[in-house]
Amino acid sequence: MGLAFEEARTLILENITALGVERVHLLNAAGRVLAEDVAAPWDLPRWDNSAMDGYAVRAADCHGPHALRVTGYLPAGGRADGLEVTAGTAVKIMTGAPIPVGCDAVVPVEETEAAGDEVLIKAAVATGDHIRFHGEDVRVGSLAVPAGTVLGPPEINMLATFSQVFVTVIRRPRVAILSTGDELVELGDTAGAGQIVNSNSLSLAIAVQEAGGEPLLLGIARDNVASLREKLAQGLTADALITSAGVSAGDCDLVRDVLAELGVQQLFWKIDIKPGRPTAFGLKGKTPVFSLPGNPVSTMVTFENFVRPALLKMMGRRHVLRPLLRATLREPAQKKPGRVHFMRVTVTVEDGRLSVASSGDQNTGILQTMLRANAIAILPADRASFEAGEEVMVQLLDTPAL
Ligand code: AMP
Ligand code: MG
């Protein structure tokens, strides 16, 4: 018996803490977690301004169709000094331009007709129409973007509005990636008899990058103590270490032994999941060590479920798990009871509802069905068979469109 799926993930996350901070240029801040409260250095908007291209008027002048004399022009970036809207007059105004003295409403150009130096106002106008008021968005000194916020385009826009060139954010983890195995050759090298290309380092590096981390490729350690000792020791100087393969119960599976020798405290080995059962997790001080099984599908699925949330937590994210969504099975599904199964599935949306079916052969050795999957269905440990039409929980993988 191994650890239950959720217990394993909880144990990992309980032992992960956020990294330190760094200052980055706003252009490099996307996806990062803000580490300081940013208070508004001024009001937004900074002055009453026009929300439309049109005419600055006095609402009291505009009940029913009415001609006003146009006495000035205010473009965006213009100054209202010296301009005043007096009874019976209007100032032509562009979006964003400051509201001149005397004006209490703006009439959109579409609701007017220009005639020489006059303008005919066709619509009824109410006080405050189409004016963006000073401070109505954000007040000076108020919390514009709180610490802990994930910076996306809206937050970056707010910070840029306040001309914050640099921001303090949580660091990205440097994540060492080590593949282990005597059978492995590096990408681009010729695989001889019995050899395979180290593909896991590549997919792990991409997955680390997608999660926001910085991958450090350590190459291949051979299935002997000396080789593992050297590479694992190197990996332990990073913020996190991921190994692939060498954690099953075979003669050559030495990763855990050597990690223990290097002072890594193992928190668990084996989880009741399929694929990915031999996954191990340990800590050297605060540095997490994820020992993932070597089958590419197992490596990717365990990264997704255990490593990705941990890396997100290191980067200061509060929400680290992908949402679990309900989806209806299009076909029956079978599994052995006892372990949670991560079924590779294709999700489609019909009338706004998700439906799923297996993406094909679920054997751990089949990589092709991982490529065809756009989601993982999480089938509970205690269940064995599922009927078509039943609901299961799914996690969408990176799915920009369905
Ligand atoms: P192991 O966990 O060492 O028993 O490896 C399980 C399976 O994963 C074996 O078929 C390995 O050849 C394969 N494998 C191990 N490491 C890698 C790797 N870096 N890239 C691709 N496949 C791998
Ligand atoms: Mg091996």
Side-chain angles (χ1 to χ4, degrees):
M1 276 283 281
L3 211 55
F5 167 44
E6 266 98 5
E7 280 179 73
R9 187 155 62 189
T10 303
L11 191 54
I12 291 173
L13 290 175
E14 277 172 3
N15 283 284
I16 299 289
T17 43
L19 298 171
V21 303
E22 63 179 340
R23 294 278 284 173
V24 297
H25 192 280
L26 203 50
L27 261 181
N28 298 322
R32 307 291 287 276
V33 172
L34 191 64
E36 61 186 348
D37 285 339
V38 175
W42 53 72
D43 287 322
L44 271 191
R46 289 174 91 164
W47 54 82
D48 292 353
N49 69 90
S50 176
M52 299 292 277
D53 295 330
Y55 291 87
V57 300
R58 294 157 68 111
D61 282 352
C62 309
H63 22 254
H66 207 85
L68 299 173
R69 194 162 50 83
V70 181
T71 58
Y73 173 62
L74 262 174
R79 297 174 61 125
D81 316 6
L83 282 174
E84 188 175 352
V85 178
T86 50
T89 72
V91 167
K92 192 172 186 187
I93 193 165
M94 297 296 115
T95 305
I99 297 295
V101 172
C103 159
D104 61 6
V106 170
V107 187
V109 69
E110 296 84 346
E111 290 165 19
T112 67
E113 224 167 82
D117 63 356
E118 293 204 328
V119 61
L120 180 68
I121 308 296
K122 296 190 289 187
V125 177
T127 306
D129 276 1
H130 306 295
I131 295 178
R132 304 167 179 158
F133 290 99
H134 177 202
E136 72 176 6
D137 188 358
V138 181
R139 277 280 170 206
V140 60
S142 71
L143 195 51
V145 192
T149 305
V150 182
L151 300 178
E155 292 76 19
I156 303 266
N157 201 308
M158 179 74 80
L159 293 165
T161 295
F162 292 132
S163 205
Q164 280 259 303
V165 183
F166 291 93
V167 283
T168 305
V169 296
I170 313 277
R171 257 187 341 101
R172 307 167 64 194
R174 290 173 307 114
V175 183
I177 295 168
L178 178 64
S179 284
T180 74
D182 284 340
E183 74 277 36
L184 302 177
V185 298
E186 285 294 18
L187 180 73
D189 290 347
T190 308
Q195 295 185 313
I196 61 168
V197 177
N198 168 19
S199 56
N200 281 344
S201 285
L202 280 294
S203 64
L204 283 172
I206 299 303
V208 165
Q209 247 164 12
E210 278 181 1
E214 196 185 308
L216 303 173
L217 289 173
L218 300 187
I220 300 167
R222 299 304 171 189
D223 291 322
N224 63 71
V225 171
S227 175
L228 282 167
R229 194 184 281 141
E230 184 206 327
K231 293 284 192 180
L232 289 171
Q234 202 184 330
L236 288 170
T237 64
D239 296 312
L241 168 60
I242 307 173
T243 67
S244 108
V247 277
S248 307
D251 296 341
C252 304
D253 294 333
L254 303 170
V255 170
R256 291 184 316 111
D257 293 346
V258 179
L259 283 173
E261 186 196 298
L262 292 171
V264 174
Q265 181 208 353
Q266 181 181 294
L267 275 79
F268 66 75
W269 178 42
K270 291 184 180 167
I271 314 173
D272 288 335
I273 55 171
K274 186 180 165 59
R277 186 161 193 267
T279 303
F281 174 68
L283 287 171
K284 165 114 190 202
K286 281 187 161 187
T287 308
V289 181
F290 304 90
S291 306
L292 309 183
N295 270 304
V297 171
S298 311
T299 314
M300 286 184 270
V301 168
T302 49
F303 177 92
E304 168 65 30
N305 279 290
F306 303 104
V307 187
R308 183 177 183 275
L311 297 183
L312 292 179
K313 191 166 179 198
M314 292 176 91
M315 283 178 277
R317 298 272 190 135
R318 282 194 277 245
H319 302 288
V320 299
L321 302 181
R322 293 196 202 268
L324 275 180
L325 306 173
R326 286 176 200 284
T328 308
L329 277 173
R330 291 198 291 273
E331 298 157 3
Q334 257 78 42
K335 70 184 259 302
K336 282 192 198 148
R339 292 198 241 165
V340 166
H341 276 219
F342 298 118
M343 183 164 69
R344 287 151 258 167
V345 292
T346 53
V347 168
T348 52
V349 182
E350 287 146 29
D351 291 337
R353 292 174 193 279
L354 303 184
S355 80
V356 290
S358 163
S359 67
D361 192 336
Q362 296 292 319
N363 274 309
T364 309
I366 304 296
L367 182 54
Q368 187 64 49
T369 48
M370 188 81 196
L371 277 70
R372 273 191 224 128
N374 59 2
I376 299 287
I378 301 185
L379 306 181
D382 56 347
R383 297 281 307 275
S385 66
F386 301 80
E387 287 165 30
E390 254 194 76
E391 273 188 347
V392 293
M393 303 310 281
V394 295
Q395 260 176 353
L396 299 186
L397 301 175
D398 283 326
T399 311
L402 276 177

